[in-house]
Structures are given as structure tokens and as C-alpha cells.
Amino acid sequence: MMGSVSTTSRGPRRAPASRTADGAVPYDAEVLVIGAGIVGLSTAYALTRAVPGTRVTVLEKEPGPARHQSGRNSGVIHSGIYYPPGSLKARFALSGSAEMAKFCAEHAIPYELTGKLIVATERAELPRLHALIQRGRQHGLPVRELGPAQIAEREPHVRGLAAIHVGTTGVCDFAEVARHLARLTSAAGGELRYGPGAEVTAVDRRAGRGVAVRTADGSVLRARVLINCAGLHSDRVARLAGDEPAARILPFRGEFHVLPLERRELVRGLVYPVPDPAFPFLGVHLTRGVHGDVHIGPNAVPALAREGYGWRTAGAADLAAALGFPGSWRMARRHWRYGAGELRRSVSRRALTETVRRLLPEVEPGDLLPAPAGVRAQAVLRDGTLVDDFLIDEGPHTVHVLNAPSPAATASLPIGREIAQRALAALRLV
């Protein structure tokens, strides 16, 4: 077998590698990580820190890290206020927000703790706003109730009946965080393989022995444990490994707009609507990023391909798989009204403007300039339920991250440690 790592009270030490009869080490790595998004890279980084010397290889089909969800978001460091106590999202976001800010400060990555407003614009939203206040206090977050005058003091162009201010929310450059994690992993001896040739096309798993992965360039890599952080393709990778995940990934495109330079003064920080608890989406919000740009969005519309960043991008196989999945139809029947509203805002600039004006009355249709979209990898069960929490599953020699939407970037450092510990347990190193 490939060498193991044991720990003592004096710290980790590398145990000698076992070899075959001819002296060859049968594994190319102890751990293979599929996906160089922020979660995959955080996991690889955590492995190299937990047990120095562990051989880790990251496979990414794109030419570099953070090319999908990790690099196509609003850059918000979430506080954790939305998530139910006891959930993985709450646990990881609460610790991850402080840890992400510290990581950015230590590595000179742009970030700012701006705080944010969650604003009720209709009386029907006030009970949900008050429930969020109570949840924030349960989590020990610094939350303040604000009236209309206090809202105007913080955001002069925003209007609302009431709001809460959450002081631990901020913004950063998550793509740069991912790139830095990649550099740290490489410096610690990890190997990162990028490009179309690194795409995983087959997985052979054998109990008691490990996994062998074939990539698009014909290479075969052998490891003791496989970690699946493939995001939009995580369920497919799980099936390649011989597991049948309970959820299927359905892609939802989040379309962003930006304010023109001369209108950026309309938004000073972060402004969110009161979310609907029936959905894992937070609604169209206003975000001033670390570089001064003001994003508006995203909405959430079904994408026609797993990497469908525009209406013209469609994948026949992706679309057929989504339409053939019973959960897609059950979800559509359950949430068609909400979906219709999202589609309307996608195709109508005026409809989108009306939504934004609930928070920002002075905005005009011409102020909403199209910006690059993102695609959310949303796990959906066969009964049509949208999986709301992080979903991490395990099989022989495998750890599958099957649902890691927002706040996964915020929480990526503690999530990475959790996944790494599961992999190390599978290696019998902890």
C-alpha cells in the first residue's frame, strides 16, 4: 500500500511507503481532488496542512482555478444570519466569515467588512424580518434594528419600512482567494493539473485498494481516496465512481447587472431584500464590491446547460438529463409562480427595474448594464425538494460534495477542513 501518515503528540510524521515486489509505489497520490473551485482548493490546502507530506493532486478541466461558481458571484462574505441553527451552513458560515476575513488580511487579498442591510419594503415582510433578528441573536451576531430614518443614514438612496444591520458581513475577491489557495497547495507539494486533458472521464474503484481515474488525455492516476468537488458535475462524478446520489444537480443561472460609473453613488454597501424561506435563493440584492463596482442581482432561472451562462448556451445532453429527472417536473409544479417571476425579470428590463426599485427607487432601466452571469449548482431530490443545506456524502474510498452553493465561498476554509478530515479518516491517518 501507499505510505500512511501517523500523528503523535509531537505533531505529524510521514510513515514510510509500502512498495510492491518490484519496488514501485502503486499510487500516484494519496488523495485526488476533482475540481479547482474554492472548495476543492481549500480541501487540498487543508490536507497539506493537516498532514504535511500527504501527496495531493487536483484535477481541473478548465485552464485555471475558480472558473465557475467560485469566480462568478457577488463576492459577499456572508454572516450566517439566514441559516437555521444546527445546519452545516450555519456552522460553517459563522466560523468561515471571520476566518475568511483573517485569511484575506494575512495574504493581502482585497476585502472589506462593510456590514449589510436586510430591508423590508412591505408590511408582509416584517414578521420574516423579525424572525431573522431573532435568528441573528441566536447565532450571537451583531444585529441592529433600523427604522426608515436610520436606513437613510446608512444608505441615502434606499427606502424601506424597517431593516436590520448585520455588522459581520463583508466583501472580498473570492477568485483571488482560490488562486492563492492554489499557490499555497502547490508550495506545500501538491500537484495541480489544469486544462481539458485533466477532465475525468472514468473512475474505477476497488474496495480495499482505492481508485483509478482516467482523464481525457488518456492518463490514469491511482489514489487511495478520491474527493469529488466537481460542482456543476458533482453528481455525474459520483455516478462514475459507482455511487448513486440521492440528489441531482440542476443548473440555475444567476444574471447580474452593474450600475454605470456615474451612478455608483446610489449604493454605499450591501443591501438585501427579506428572503422567502421557501427558497434557497436570497433575491435580487445590491452589492458594492471590493473594487468599487456595484452589482445588482442575481435572479435564478433554469439554465439550458450545466455551464449555460447565457440563453444561447444549450446542451442537448444536459437538457435531456434534466427533463428526464422526475424531480425537475415536481419542482416546477411546486414553484412555477416563483419561477415565472424570475423568467419575467430575465427577459424584461422593465420588470427587473421594478423589482430593484423596491429597494432603490431612483434606479432607471438604463442604469442596469449587463454583467457576466453565474450558474448555481443546485441539488434537487427526486420529490422536487431543493436541497437547502450543504450535502457531503461518502462511499468506499470517496468523499462527494454534492451541494455547496452560497455561502460555500464564505465557508470554504472550514468546509475544506471538514472534507479533509473525512478523507484522512478514510486513509486511516487520523
Side-chain angles (χ1 to χ4, degrees), residues 38 100 103-104 109 172-182 412:
I38 197 168
M100 181 57 66
F103 184 88
C104 290
I109 297 170
C172 75
D173 186 338
F174 284 124
E176 181 55 35
V177 171
R179 288 190 287 268
H180 203 82
L181 287 168
S412 54

Side-chain angles (χ1 to χ4, degrees), residues 288-337:
R288 178 178 282 274
V290 288
H291 304 297
D293 50 334
V294 176
H295 277 82
I296 295 176
N299 59 353
V301 296
L304 302 180
R306 296 215 181 191
E307 298 174 18
Y309 294 105
W311 280 113
R312 295 182 180 180
T313 303
D318 289 345
L319 195 55
L323 294 176
F325 177 56
S328 300
W329 298 98
R330 291 164 181 160
M331 177 191 67
R333 284 196 295 270
R334 188 177 302 171
H335 301 305
W336 70 269
R337 291 182 186 276

Side-chain angles (χ1 to χ4, degrees), residues 74-75 110-112 114 155 170-173 257-270 286-296 367 369:
S74 53
Y111 85 102
E112 185 178 0
T114 59
E155 291 283 354
V171 288
C172 75
D173 186 338
H257 290 76
V258 292
L259 292 179
L261 180 63
E262 65 275 12
R263 298 285 277 169
R264 288 180 181 177
E265 79 282 354
L266 292 176
V267 180
R268 290 181 173 180
L270 309 178
L286 320 174
T287 306
R288 178 178 282 274
V290 288
H291 304 297
D293 50 334
V294 176
H295 277 82
I296 295 176
D367 295 330
L369 307 179

Side-chain angles (χ1 to χ4, degrees), residues 67-74 76 78 82-84 89 230-235 248-256 272 275-285 297-310 318 322 331 338 342 372-380 385-391 401-410:
R67 297 303 173 95
H68 293 287
Q69 293 179 110
S70 302
R72 291 172 171 263
N73 55 61
S74 53
V76 174
H78 288 283
Y82 298 114
Y83 315 119
K89 279 188 175 182
L232 288 160
H233 304 282
S234 58
D235 57 337
R248 180 74 57 87
I249 296 297
L250 296 182
F252 284 84
R253 185 171 62 257
E255 296 164 332
F256 287 97
Y272 279 64
D276 186 335
F279 303 97
F281 309 113
L282 297 179
V284 173
H285 44 270
N299 59 353
V301 296
L304 302 180
R306 296 215 181 191
E307 298 174 18
Y309 294 105
D318 289 345
M331 177 191 67
Y338 182 90
E342 294 289 277
V375 176
R376 176 188 179 113
Q378 177 62 55
V380 179
T385 300
L386 299 166
V387 178
D388 189 35
D389 206 359
F390 298 139
L391 179 59
V401 182
L402 297 170
N403 197 54
S406 179
T410 296

Side-chain angles (χ1 to χ4, degrees), residues 118-210:
I118 303 174
V119 181
T121 59
E122 300 176 0
R123 291 193 177 277
E125 296 173 336
L126 293 176
R128 301 206 303 269
L129 185 71
H130 293 149
L132 280 178
I133 294 170
Q134 296 306 314
R135 179 168 289 177
R137 289 172 177 164
Q138 281 181 288
H139 289 321
L141 296 172
V143 296
R144 289 185 55 206
E145 300 181 56
L146 306 180
Q150 294 165 308
I151 294 172
E153 286 177 8
R154 291 185 176 274
E155 291 283 354
H157 302 281
V158 171
R159 296 293 179 267
L161 299 176
I164 56 178
H165 179 263
V166 189
T168 52
T169 307
V171 288
C172 75
D173 186 338
F174 284 124
E176 181 55 35
V177 171
R179 288 190 287 268
H180 203 82
L181 287 168
R183 289 192 288 269
L184 291 171
T185 299
S186 181
E191 181 184 8
L192 293 94
R193 299 190 182 188
Y194 297 115
E199 182 175 1
V200 173
T201 59
V203 178
D204 180 20
R205 179 176 61 186
R206 300 190 181 184
R209 296 179 62 183

Side-chain angles (χ1 to χ4, degrees), residues 344-362:
R344 179 171 174 265
R345 285 184 283 273
S346 176
V347 300
S348 169
R349 181 74 59 85
R350 183 166 297 278
L352 176 61
T353 304
E354 289 172 359
T355 298
V356 178
R357 279 178 175 166
R358 295 175 188 173
L359 293 170
L360 197 65
E362 296 173 45

